[in-house]
Amino acid sequence: MRRWLLALLWLPMLAMGPLAHAAPEAMDVAFAEATLEPDGLPPEVRRVQLPFRWDHEFPGRGGKASYRIDLPASAVPAGAPSVLLMSGVGNQVAVLFNDALVASFGTLGDSGYDAAKGNELVHVAAALHHEGRPQVLLVRTTIQRQRGAGLASVQYGTEASLAPIYRSQQNWRNTSAIVYAVSLLLMGGMAGGLWLRQRDALYGCFALAALSGIARNLDRVWPEVPVPWPLWGAVVAVCYAGHIGLIARFVLLVLERNPPWLVRSIYAALATSVTLACASFAFALPKLWTSGLVILQFTSIICLPT
């Protein structure tokens, strides 16, 4: 039983199969003309390379961004419908093709929805295409601070070439996270039941570690959470800190090596990380949460040679 519990917590997030590659009927967009409006800073217009990470460019700030992309007329057969495959775009998105709104994900400025949680396949009717000249794609987004956003990639082509890629990405990104979350729920519940019967700290620690790991996996695929942002970000961070810290404690229990100084270090690192996570989202300082993760990881590494 101990081996199964340990193996589950260390289960890697492996892809569910090799990702498909774009067929010749599809093109990858490498650059976009971006209008960036971070909160508290003057707007700027510049050419950005995709993938573009807003949180790397403007840490701790929300704002607005618009990406203008010129698509060649020859990318799809004349008179045929096309599709756009976008990944990592958010947080709320409106997509315009030749000035016509073709898709929206959430409402611009409404933090209750996060489009960046999944890949988006946007269908474009043949009637919207301009013959003999480039097509203009405009992606308008609103971004909340400390929430992964930007524009990771855009592919443009026929549905036959991009639909298989979309399904493969969905399986790899969404299905695997859901399966892992359900596995943690089942195993955590079973371990909790064993703890209620036997009062063994091993099972109690595993139950807490598994259940605290569910939130982060659900957050990867849940676009409409019931808790407003940035409070939801703090909840996920605290749960993730508990997951890592309790894994380290669980490893010591499995190995039956519990030096008091190391046990106290794990609990101190966990408490410090939780505090830093809450402060990070309260005061819009992403480096605080990063520091908390470093402390937890360092403490976990110390457990390995004991």
Side-chain angles (χ1 to χ4, degrees), residues 2-3 6 202 249-257:
R2 295 187 179 191
R3 292 179 179 177
L6 182 61
L202 175 76
R249 182 70 184 100
F250 174 72
V251 170
L252 294 183
L253 290 170
V254 170
L255 300 176
E256 297 182 349
R257 298 173 182 175

Side-chain angles (χ1 to χ4, degrees), residues 64 169 175-176 225 237:
K64 302 177 183 178
Q169 290 177 343
T175 307
S176 58
V225 295

Side-chain angles (χ1 to χ4, degrees), residues 41-85:
L41 295 176
E44 58 179 286
V45 179
R46 58 186 165 102
R47 184 176 173 86
V48 299
Q49 184 176 4
L50 303 183
F52 174 77
R53 288 287 301 270
W54 173 279
D55 46 320
H56 288 178
E57 295 288 331
F58 309 105
R61 297 181 185 272
K64 302 177 183 178
S66 297
Y67 308 93
R68 186 183 187 277
I69 300 169
D70 291 330
L71 301 169
S74 59
V76 294
S82 61
V83 295
L84 295 159
L85 177 57

